[in-house]
Amino acid sequence: MPKIAMIGAGSVVFAKRLIYDILSFPELAGSTISLMDIDAERLDLIARLATKLAEQEGFDVKIDATLDRREALKGADYVITMIQVGGLEAYELDIDIPMKYGIKQCVGDTLGPGGVFRGLRSIPVFLDICKDMEELCPDALLINYTNPMAMITWAINLATGIKTVGLCHSVQGTAAQLASYIGAPSEEVSYWVAGINHMAWFLRFEWNGRDAYPLLFEAMGRPEVYSKDKVRFEMMRHLGYFITESSGHLSEYVPYFRKRNELIDEFCTEGFGGETGFYLRHCRESWKPHYDRIRKQIAGEVPVDVERSHEYGAYIIHSIETGTPRRINGNVLNSGIITNLPQGCCVEVPCLVDDAGLHPCYIGDLPSQCAALNRTNINVQELAVRAALERDRDLAFMAVMFDPLTAALLSPREIRKMVDEMFEAEARYLPGW
């Protein structure tokens, strides 16, 4: 049975979700789950929670925990990564310094100044993980959940020989949202989605085999629906296709909605609708109630809550181990899959999965307007990846300079000053620069 290494397992709530997903498949009984984190307290917490979960549900599993990454990777068949290099301290700098310059990010982990610097911090760590994998488990599949997804996946494909897929929940999550907008049961809708991570396009959206886009445009006209997803509905109104991820995320990737306060007030509403600094506040405030409940679960005061999630990770492992065919959406190397996006970039496309692994599906050309918007983000990703691989501050500056929102707000001199300040503030998280 497989050994599954979880790197960054101190992300306790998410790690617990993936552990249950894996163990909920009877065919994966007898697996080994090796939990690894650099935070001993969090590692102990997830190890005890996983053990409690296995006892409660009667799962046959071997769980071990280690602070030694190489020990976790040794002999692994699957490696799942969910790390945040620099933690909240670095993330605060990603949000707070650009804010001084008028760049009001909602999440700041994928594009923009925050996404670029998160990529600069994360890519070298992933290359180190891959170097260890090439020695200790060269045939393992690296399943990555860490943002910035496209930059990290691109760098891994460019600089290593490790098999990898980047996973997000925005495709299946958005599909469920769209079903609710048109009043359809989620199990009755089908879709074909492709593009880049956090900006993939619902090229087809159907309800019981019939085109559901007319219903979606009709739903957009209802204020109670439109108000839930203003930015994405506006982009659909003008480009004709609905985009994955939240309105808050999307508002950061385009130059239209966050450059004036009145636009932010009109389109970027509370929470993942686009409230400035929302996700950083969420990270600061949400951990305590989560951890209080986890400690009660470990103590047996309340049961460990269990429900299989819609995350793709466990389904991929199950399909490869059993040959059960499935289709997921994954982030992979663009090797002629989307023909009007750059070769070698990272694309998010449907992938078939079976006992031979992952098989990305051919898309061909995206609609021209969809590819055009994707390219504005790919430009930033490419420069950021090159900056991280070459430790080149000028390339990092250019990555931020070509960010659509930053370019809508700042002059090149102002961008240079901001980037220099971020490099100085984050120096301890950027060794070798």
Side-chain angles (χ1 to χ4, degrees):
M1 297 307 298
K3 177 181 178 180
I4 303 158
M6 292 189 172
I7 309 301
S11 303
V12 175
V13 176
F14 190 67
K16 175 254 179 183
R17 182 186 307 166
L18 296 182
I19 291 167
Y20 178 75
D21 286 352
I22 293 165
L23 299 182
S24 67
F25 287 106
E27 297 89 342
L28 297 179
S31 297
T32 297
I33 297 180
S34 185
L35 306 169
M36 182 271 160
D37 203 273
I38 61 173
D39 185 314
E41 182 179 356
R42 287 191 174 198
L43 181 63
D44 178 67
L45 203 62
I46 185 59
R48 289 190 289 142
L49 180 63
T51 301
K52 187 72 175 180
L53 172 63
E55 292 172 352
Q56 174 184 296
E57 300 298 309
F59 291 138
D60 175 18
V61 61
K62 178 185 176 183
I63 294 171
D64 60 56
T66 178
L67 294 166
D68 185 338
R69 188 176 72 203
R70 288 176 59 84
E71 184 63 31
L73 293 175
K74 187 176 181 180
D77 300 286
Y78 304 92
V79 178
I80 302 177
T81 46
M82 46 190 129
I83 64 176
Q84 184 174 1
V85 179
L88 278 183
E89 295 82 4
Y91 184 28
E92 287 170 351
L93 298 170
D94 288 345
I95 300 301
D96 292 347
I97 294 175
M99 183 88 74
K100 290 168 48 180
Y101 291 82
I103 300 174
K104 300 175 180 179
Q105 301 168 102
C106 171
V107 182
D109 68 352
T110 298
L111 211 72
V116 169
F117 271 82
R118 184 178 287 235
L120 299 182
R121 296 193 303 271
S122 301
I123 287 171
V125 177
F126 271 88
L127 297 186
D128 284 345
I129 292 171
C130 289
K131 183 178 179 181
D132 285 346
M133 289 179 65
E134 287 170 341
E135 177 187 346
L136 301 167
C137 53
D139 297 321
L141 174 65
L142 174 57
I143 299 172
N144 177 45
Y145 279 101
T146 300
N147 284 324
M149 178 64 65
M151 295 180 197
I152 291 170
T153 305
W154 191 334
I156 291 170
N157 282 319
L158 187 61
T160 84
I162 292 298
K163 295 179 297 185
T164 188
V165 62
L167 297 183
C168 183
H169 45 243
S170 61
V171 173
Q172 64 271 48
T174 298
Q177 286 177 281
L178 296 185
S180 72
Y181 295 161
I182 65 172
S186 58
E187 64 272 12
E188 293 182 6
V189 301
S190 58
Y191 45 88
W192 187 250
V193 179
I196 61 174
N197 182 238
H198 289 186
M199 194 188 277
W201 307 85
F202 276 74
L203 302 175
R204 293 205 308 269
F205 178 61
E206 299 174 345
W207 183 4
N208 286 331
R210 302 183 69 174
D211 182 15
Y213 258 110
L215 297 175
L216 196 54
F217 274 92
E218 180 184 319
M220 179 173 64
R222 299 197 295 271
E224 71 276 12
V225 175
Y226 174 80
S227 64
K228 295 177 181 177
D229 234 334
K230 292 180 181 179
V231 171
R232 290 199 288 181
F233 275 126
E234 283 298 311
M235 296 302 287
M236 183 183 79
R237 184 195 308 277
H238 297 290
L239 298 182
Y241 296 90
F242 205 86
I243 302 174
T244 57
E245 254 315 319
S246 65
S247 279
H249 267 291
L250 180 58
S251 69
E252 302 175 304
Y253 312 150
V254 295
Y256 312 117
F257 302 102
R258 307 191 72 87
K259 58 187 174 183
R260 297 196 303 271
N261 287 335
E262 61 267 28
L263 291 173
I264 293 175
D265 292 342
E266 180 178 0
F267 293 107
C268 303
T269 52
E270 184 177 354
F272 274 113
E275 180 188 1
T276 297
F278 162 73
Y279 195 62
L280 177 58
R281 282 193 295 277
H282 172 76
C283 292
R284 285 169 172 162
E285 297 165 4
S286 67
W287 67 271
K288 190 176 188 306
H290 281 310
Y291 279 65
D292 288 345
R293 179 168 178 78
I294 286 166
R295 289 188 176 94
K296 290 180 180 179
Q297 291 172 339
I298 292 170
E301 298 173 16
V302 296
V304 182
D305 49 318
V306 290
E307 182 180 3
R308 187 183 287 175
S309 77
H310 63 189
E311 301 292 348
Y312 289 134
Y315 293 97
I316 290 173
I317 295 171
H318 181 261
S319 287
I320 292 174
E321 291 297 315
T322 66
T324 304
R326 286 191 175 89
R327 195 183 86 197
I328 60 100
N329 273 69
N331 289 272
V332 297
L333 174 74
N334 188 27
S335 54
I337 299 167
I338 299 182
T339 46
N340 56 352
L341 294 183
Q343 288 288 302
C345 75
C346 174
V347 291
E348 187 169 75
V349 295
C351 300
L352 303 180
V353 194
D354 57 21
D355 53 4
L358 284 101
H359 316 283
C361 299
Y362 176 80
I363 302 298
D365 277 1
L366 294 176
S368 296
Q369 70 274 27
C370 300
L373 193 64
N374 283 166
R375 288 191 207 106
T376 67
N377 283 219
I378 292 170
N379 293 335
V380 179
Q381 295 163 6
E382 179 180 16
L383 287 163
V385 168
R386 286 187 55 204
L389 295 179
E390 299 173 26
R391 297 291 208 279
D392 189 317
R393 286 179 61 143
D394 283 336
L395 288 173
F397 155 72
M398 290 179 220
V400 179
M401 180 179 173
F402 285 108
D403 170 61
L405 179 59
T406 303
L409 288 163
L410 301 180
S411 71
R413 287 184 181 180
E414 291 168 327
I415 297 169
R416 177 78 72 173
K417 183 178 179 184
M418 178 183 68
V419 168
D420 286 344
E421 185 174 343
M422 293 181 75
F423 266 113
E424 183 177 352
E426 300 195 21
R428 66 183 182 277
Y429 309 114
L430 296 164
W433 283 79

